[in-house]
Amino acid sequence: MSVLDVDGLNVGYAQAILEQYLENPEAVPEEWRSLFESGDPAIVNALPGLARLVENLKENGAPAQAEAPPEPAPTQEPEPVQVTAAPEALPEPAADDLLIGGVAAAMALIKAIRMHGHLAATLDPLGSDPVGDPALEAELLEPPLTPELQARIPASVLRVGVEGQSLADVLPKLREIYCGTIAYEIEHISDHQERVWLRHAIESGRYRQPLSGEERRGLLERLTEVEGFEHYLKRAFLGQKQFSIEGLDVMVPMLDEAVGLGVEAGAHEVVIGMAHRGRLNVLAHIIGRPYAEVLREFEGERTIEAIAATAEGASGDVKYHLGAVGRRSTDAGDATVLLASNPSHLEAVDPVVEGVTRAEQTDRSSRSGVHDPAVALPILIHGDASFPGQGVVAETLNLQRLVGYTTGGTLHVIANNQVGFTTEPADGRSTRYSSDLAKGFDTPIIHVNADDPEAALSAIRLGLAFRRRFGSDVVVDLVGYRRHGHNEGDEASFTQPLMAERIANHPSVRALYAQRLADAGEVSAEEAERLAKETQEQMRAAHDELKTELTRAQPSSGESTPISAEASVETSVPAERLRELQDELVSVPDGFTVNPKLVKMLERRVEALDGGGIDWGQAESLALASLLVEGIPIRLTGQDTERGTFSHRHLVLHDAHTGAQHAPIKHLADASASIEAYNSPLSEYAALGFEYGYSVTAPEALVLWEAQFGDFINGAQIIVDQFLVSGLAKWRQTSRLTLLLPHGYEGNGPEHSSARLERFLQLAAQENIRVVNATTAAQYFHLLRRQALDPNARPLIVMTPKGLLRLKEASSALDDLAHGRFEPVLNDPAVADRAAVTRLVLTSGKLFYDIAGSELRSQAQNVAVARIEQLYPFPVDPAAKLVASYPALQEVVWAQEEPQNMGAWRAIRHRLEEAVAGRPLRYVGRPWRASPSEGYPTSHLRAQQRIVGEVLETNA
């Protein structure tokens, strides 16, 4: 429609275009935008319909004072302003080009305030000037929005959530809302409903109501406790690290508020992850750990007796890494508050907290496995340098809307010191704010000045209201400072002299708030001082009592780690039960069309029960199904795990015609526990961290994570090093988490051959993990069941096969599953006369089949080839018995595919030397190499042939 058609019946269309222009000038056609912005009265007068619209704006310019608009319905935008056309009989008035231009400028200004108001906000407690933005200046617009013009522009056409009759009334309120000590970034969100909800929630002030006098006094008391705690520790333990919260003190009242609102929304548990800054204060005041216990950790740096007296024995980690659990009472009820243990690796705990939370939210006691996000609230406290700097943050943010990982929204709080150790923000990130990363995930961001505690509380209220409404993450950027250096022994003035000077002269938030309440006549200066003295007296009393206790002799419980003796558990399953389960595992609903190629595979699985040939994927599905009917919950995730990287699993079937999905294992008639099976994002770090957190929280469940290829595990090395293998020693925290890592040299190059077995064996100590390289389907079946049923939980690392998945020789019979157990050592089944054996070749994994299947094997009748299936804990006795079973043995050879500096050789050599009891022991395998394997298949074949030929003593 042309702009020249604005008359008669087309007035309604023009009105809609005008309203759209007022909302977003870029959204209307260029010819209409040019018309509205031309300011040419001749053009407007030539279009009577448009002239009437403009005149109606003037006539409606002073409506009655309106109440704040109600919160919009979930799928509706606020009602547009209704402009009634003037009666046709009235004379056409002259258009007011200044007014229409003013309305357009007003809408542009309001849009700029919503989008860029944060640039003019006073967010820095240290007083740096906001950068501002020309788009926020009313006088710089065209036409300039003078006070006179502002008074003429009716608020009713501006679509704002604040009260007022004209732009002159609402503009100061909008500036106060968006450009004060709290600011918002929400306009980047792509979901219209979320944007509209946030605008109204912000502008209505619903979540920023003034505190009562009693609430203000309570807030002052809390800030006094927070500050007093830090002051006492600093004086009593001069020079010891405490990573003080000072400069971000209000974070503790914010967490108080978050816990209360979480419980009000239905949470039974609040899970917190944070680094060292302020952690001790959170332990004391949020978790509720008694002052004496915190003080004991400080005394423990002076004398081991201070901590050896505890039931757990000596601490395995520094005090600002330890986790804790407490019980909190709120007005809405009680809740458990968990502070997750974490290492120094900043942000590493983020996905762990998400996994812990997801486990708390999931009911695994029935087949349905209901997930209720209201049950637990995750809170992550980030550093301003680490939030944009550590890639795991982006990986964790990416989990928020994935069906297998969502926790219904996480409250992220950035503890913004405005410096990273000694690194300036300009050297640490390429963005204006440390929070900008979150924009890519459609996450609302609330910036707040840490010296305005009431604004900080309102940020939490708004954030959790958004989470409750939309089930999404929210970020609160708490802008403060660091009162001391990186730690109490660090000198900040070496690298930030000007900032250090400003901080030294800047009063604390407690002092500022106390003065504010004194000025308001609510709390006197004397009363505020009395509160401060009370906190110091409480700390001193707790410390004196602890010192008295430490003078008495205390029995030491030592530094022992819980034992991991493998219990003898029944892993076989009756054959008839396995037949019943297999029938269910190949059943699909009526009308469901299985891919024709998969139909044959499913048929073969049924036939294999009688004819033999149960392969790896079938053995796995039967093991998992048998556990489900025994009440053991299962969670299986990973890269392409539903189908399996090598197309061997097919846990989830897809209808060939409709694409509909069906997972038979989720519909077992007798299942009394849930199974969660999901493809993971293409991530290792966050994905594995998530599963670690889940497994720690769900010790009764078998949690498995599978890598696409085993070498991808190095993308999660931090989780392996800092949590999986050391969590037991540091925090007395373990799990059944099972890693399935495809491993084996098959000519696929350096990147897809090795799961870095040597790294796990290097990290294995104090029976902290189990490492297995199983070689038959039955071994894998019994291994999975043992891992789920063994009362002594430990992480399990499985070097899973690739070529063996369908290898006939690696398959098993039904009887192998219905009887027997996992064997840590497998003898050579081809040896008939053990007395004739003079050389015993010990190996692990796929190489056994390369040797056993070689054409040279039949010529080496004096050679036996046995397998070490469990590499850690090393099967000392079974290995010794194996060697002793060959009376004429002259030498033992360890053979492996991996280079000599990799694989199992260097880690188990001392164990092998014990087993061979003085007999010669030598190595056969690839020489020392920097890269795991050859890049060309021909080179690979030559290396394999050389190894096989050498162990069988023939020329390759």
Side-chain angles (χ1 to χ4, degrees):
M1 180 179 292
S2 168
V3 296
L4 301 178
D5 296 330
V6 186
D7 209 356
L9 295 177
N10 295 329
V11 170
Y13 175 77
Q15 175 181 324
I17 291 292
L18 176 58
E19 290 179 354
Q20 188 176 7
Y21 170 81
L22 296 177
E23 174 71 20
N24 182 6
E26 301 299 323
V28 303
E30 183 177 356
E31 58 183 354
W32 284 93
R33 189 163 63 251
S34 299
L35 172 66
F36 294 146
E37 296 174 356
S38 67
D40 187 345
I43 296 179
V44 177
N45 288 334
L47 305 172
L50 180 59
R52 285 196 297 274
L53 292 177
V54 175
E55 183 62 23
N56 284 330
L57 285 178
K58 293 192 295 182
E59 292 178 355
N60 295 329
Q65 183 71 28
E67 295 182 0
E71 179 179 349
T75 58
Q76 295 180 345
E77 202 175 346
E79 287 295 324
V81 178
Q82 298 297 322
V83 182
T84 306
E88 295 290 339
L90 295 177
E92 302 288 352
D96 188 332
D97 58 305
L98 181 61
L99 181 58
I100 191 172
V103 170
M107 293 301 296
L109 178 59
I110 291 170
K111 181 179 180 180
I113 289 174
R114 287 170 171 165
M115 289 190 67
H116 306 301
H118 55 88
L119 297 175
T122 53
L123 298 176
D124 184 5
L126 302 179
S128 64
D129 294 328
V131 296
D133 190 288
L136 301 173
E137 304 299 327
E139 295 77 11
L140 298 181
L141 298 173
E142 183 60 38
L145 290 174
T146 63
E148 294 78 16
L149 182 54
Q150 291 182 32
R152 295 180 58 198
I153 298 173
S156 59
V157 300
L158 300 180
R159 294 186 176 181
V160 294
V162 298
E163 297 181 352
Q165 296 180 341
S166 66
L167 175 62
D169 296 330
V170 301
L171 185 56
K173 298 176 182 178
L174 290 174
R175 291 193 186 279
E176 181 181 359
I177 289 170
Y178 287 99
C179 307
T181 54
I182 187 169
Y184 311 90
E185 290 188 89
I186 62 171
E187 296 300 324
H188 60 275
I189 297 174
S190 60
D191 188 280
H192 174 76
Q193 183 181 344
E194 292 181 8
R195 289 198 312 274
V196 170
W197 185 93
L198 282 165
R199 287 174 194 159
H200 182 262
I202 292 166
E203 294 173 15
S204 67
R206 174 180 304 169
Y207 302 104
R208 202 177 175 186
Q209 297 298 317
L211 300 183
S212 66
E214 182 180 352
E215 290 171 329
R216 289 188 175 190
R217 179 185 172 86
L219 179 53
L220 176 61
E221 290 178 357
R222 195 54 149 171
L223 291 172
T224 302
E225 291 173 345
V226 171
E227 180 178 284
F229 176 86
E230 302 290 355
H231 285 182
Y232 185 86
L233 293 180
K234 186 173 179 62
R235 286 197 304 270
F237 303 99
L238 190 63
Q240 286 198 36
K241 296 177 183 179
Q242 66 192 68
F243 295 101
S244 167
I245 201 174
E246 292 169 271
L248 294 168
D249 311 54
V250 74
M251 188 166 66
V252 169
M254 292 168 72
L255 291 175
D256 285 329
E257 188 75 9
V259 171
L261 291 174
V263 175
E264 185 180 295
H268 305 304
E269 180 144 356
V270 177
V271 186
I272 302 174
M274 65 183 299
H276 43 273
R277 178 76 52 211
R279 188 179 183 91
L280 297 179
N281 220 303
V282 170
L283 277 169
H285 296 125
I286 301 300
I287 306 300
R289 194 173 184 184
Y291 287 155
E293 290 188 17
V294 177
L295 294 167
R296 182 186 296 274
E297 295 291 341
F298 279 88
E299 291 289 351
E301 293 195 15
R302 297 174 174 173
T303 169
I304 190 65
E305 284 73 19
I307 49 177
T310 64
E312 295 82 7
S315 290
D317 205 348
V318 294
K319 53 187 173 291
Y320 37 83
H321 290 169
L322 299 175
V325 180
R327 192 72 179 164
R328 283 285 298 262
S329 295
T330 73
D331 292 340
D334 295 345
T336 298
V337 183
L338 167 67
L339 179 62
S341 301
N342 70 280
S344 280
H345 292 66
L346 299 177
E347 309 295 344
V349 78
D350 296 356
V352 177
V353 165
E354 299 297 339
V356 170
T357 305
R358 175 71 180 225
E360 291 290 350
Q361 295 172 344
T362 304
D363 180 5
R364 295 174 292 278
S365 62
S366 65
R367 188 173 65 184
S368 57
V370 176
H371 172 232
D372 182 2
V375 170
L377 168 67
I379 302 175
L380 291 176
I381 301 173
H382 308 272
D384 56 306
S386 58
F387 191 83
Q390 294 292 315
V392 71
V393 176
E395 290 189 32
T396 304
L397 290 171
N398 186 51
L399 301 177
Q400 63 176 294
R401 291 184 173 89
L402 304 184
V403 64
Y405 298 85
T406 181
T407 55
T410 298
L411 173 61
H412 300 268
V413 178
I414 299 177
N416 194 338
N417 300 306
Q418 304 189 69
V419 64
F421 203 154
T422 66
T423 302
E424 300 281 357
D427 296 323
R429 63 176 185 262
S430 295
T431 58
R432 180 180 298 277
Y433 296 116
S434 59
S435 57
D436 283 344
L437 171 68
K439 291 181 180 179
F441 298 91
D442 271 5
T443 302
I445 300 167
I446 308 168
H447 304 280
V448 63
N449 187 317
D451 271 359
D452 188 344
E454 295 188 23
L457 296 185
S458 72
I460 297 298
R461 295 191 199 108
L462 174 62
L464 289 184
F466 178 83
R467 178 199 187 252
R468 187 172 183 176
R469 175 66 180 81
F470 295 102
S472 298
D473 287 12
V474 64
V475 172
V476 176
D477 178 20
L478 179 63
V479 184
Y481 54 90
R482 194 178 62 196
R483 175 66 67 180
H484 309 290
H486 176 67
N487 58 60
E488 285 61 34
D490 188 49
E491 182 51 69
S493 64
F494 290 163
T495 50
Q496 280 79 33
L498 300 182
M499 176 183 280
E501 182 180 3
R502 287 198 300 271
I503 292 172
N505 296 320
H506 186 73
S508 68
V509 64
R510 184 208 66 83
L512 291 172
Y513 197 61
Q515 185 61 53
R516 176 178 169 184
L517 297 190
D519 293 343
E522 297 182 21
V523 177
S524 67
E526 293 75 18
E527 177 68 4
E529 184 62 27
R530 184 186 65 77
L531 292 174
K533 289 180 179 179
E534 286 181 357
T535 299
Q536 295 301 298
E537 290 170 359
Q538 291 174 8
M539 292 286 293
R540 188 178 300 108
H543 199 179
D544 290 344
E545 184 178 349
L546 176 64
K547 290 177 180 178
T548 301
E549 178 186 336
L550 295 179
T551 61
R552 297 190 288 268
Q554 298 287 345
S556 175
S557 60
E559 298 185 41
S560 62
T561 301
I563 62 171
S564 176
E566 293 171 359
S568 177
V569 294
E570 180 61 51
T571 58
S572 60
V573 178
E576 285 308 308
R577 179 49 130 175
L578 291 174
R579 290 181 185 279
E580 294 169 359
L581 292 174
Q582 185 60 71
D583 287 342
E584 292 188 86
L585 289 170
V586 297
S587 298
V588 296
D590 292 339
F592 189 96
T593 305
V594 179
N595 186 294
K597 295 181 180 179
L598 293 182
V599 170
K600 295 181 180 179
M601 182 204 76
L602 297 178
E603 291 174 348
R604 281 197 301 270
R605 288 189 173 182
V606 175
E607 295 167 358
L609 297 181
D610 293 316
I614 296 175
D615 63 18
W616 198 271
Q618 182 177 5
E620 178 188 76
S621 64
L622 287 171
L624 299 183
S626 68
L627 291 171
L628 290 173
V629 298
E630 292 176 27
I632 305 296
I634 295 167
R635 178 176 167 89
L636 172 61
T637 64
Q639 297 161 342
D640 308 294
T641 290
E642 292 181 0
R643 189 202 76 169
T645 300
F646 310 103
S647 197
H648 70 285
R649 180 173 291 120
H650 295 286
L651 203 61
V652 178
L653 302 174
H654 299 254
D655 189 291
H657 299 317
T658 67
Q661 298 182 17
H662 177 71
I665 198 169
K666 293 186 177 182
H667 300 277
L668 302 176
D670 295 335
S672 55
S674 65
I675 179 170
E676 300 173 71
Y678 300 105
N679 288 335
S680 76
L682 195 58
S683 156
E684 293 84 35
Y685 193 167
L688 185 58
F690 187 100
E691 303 309 333
Y692 175 81
Y694 193 107
S695 65
V696 167
T697 308
E700 82 286 4
L702 177 61
V703 180
L704 308 100
W705 178 81
E706 182 176 56
Q708 191 177 77
F709 287 92
D711 55 294
F712 289 177
I713 187 61
N714 56 19
Q717 198 64 47
I718 290 175
I719 297 298
V720 172
D721 291 351
Q722 307 304 322
F723 293 90
L724 190 73
V725 302
S726 60
L728 179 62
K730 293 191 296 186
W731 312 314
R732 302 179 67 84
Q733 179 174 287
T734 188
S735 76
R736 301 181 190 279
L737 180 59
T738 299
L739 274 54
L740 306 179
L741 308 179
H743 175 87
Y745 284 51
E746 298 175 355
N748 292 320
E751 311 309 327
H752 293 331
S753 296
S754 174
R756 296 294 188 174
L757 171 62
E758 64 279 356
R759 291 182 179 168
F760 291 100
L761 293 177
Q762 179 193 45
L763 296 167
Q766 298 178 288
E767 300 197 12
N768 58 336
I769 58 175
R770 296 167 183 149
V771 182
V772 171
N773 194 356
T775 55
T776 72
Q779 282 281 82
Y780 184 49
F781 172 88
H782 290 294
L783 176 66
L784 290 179
R785 287 184 50 79
R786 186 188 75 170
Q787 178 68 358
L789 299 172
D790 194 326
N792 301 305
R794 289 294 185 275
L796 170 64
I797 317 301
V798 185
M799 301 289 112
T800 56
K802 294 172 286 185
L804 304 190
L805 293 173
R806 298 177 182 84
L807 185 70
K808 181 179 180 181
E809 291 76 10
S811 65
S812 301
L814 179 61
D815 190 63
D816 298 327
L817 279 57
H819 301 90
R821 60 176 185 174
F822 173 79
E823 297 292 347
V825 174
L826 292 179
N827 211 331
D828 192 334
V831 173
D833 183 8
R834 296 192 181 187
V837 173
T838 59
R839 180 188 306 140
L840 173 62
V841 177
L842 298 177
T843 189
S844 185
K846 180 189 73 69
L847 184 59
F848 167 80
Y849 293 101
D850 291 346
I851 298 172
S854 170
E855 60 185 13
L856 304 175
R857 180 69 182 95
S858 61
Q859 304 171 23
Q861 295 299 313
N862 67 319
V863 177
V865 185
R867 287 161 277 179
I868 306 296
E869 299 278 285
Q870 179 169 297
L871 295 165
Y872 188 84
F874 190 85
V876 177
D877 291 339
K881 291 178 181 178
L882 171 70
V883 173
S885 69
Y886 294 97
L889 201 60
Q890 297 177 9
E891 70 167 341
V892 177
V893 173
W894 172 259
Q896 66 178 38
E897 298 180 299
E898 302 88 352
Q900 190 170 354
N901 56 314
M902 303 178 193
W905 169 244
R906 299 181 72 197
I908 68 172
R909 181 175 180 175
H910 66 292
R911 292 298 192 183
L912 294 174
E913 289 172 343
E914 294 175 10
V916 300
R919 297 176 180 86
L921 172 68
R922 64 186 176 95
Y923 166 87
V924 174
R926 286 172 170 80
W928 286 53
R929 292 281 171 81
S931 179
S933 73
E934 302 78 15
Y936 295 97
T938 52
S939 299
H940 160 77
L941 288 175
R942 291 183 63 183
Q944 294 293 105
Q945 289 169 0
R946 180 191 61 78
I947 295 171
V948 171
E950 188 172 340
V951 300
L952 297 176
E953 277 199 346
T954 62
N955 294 324

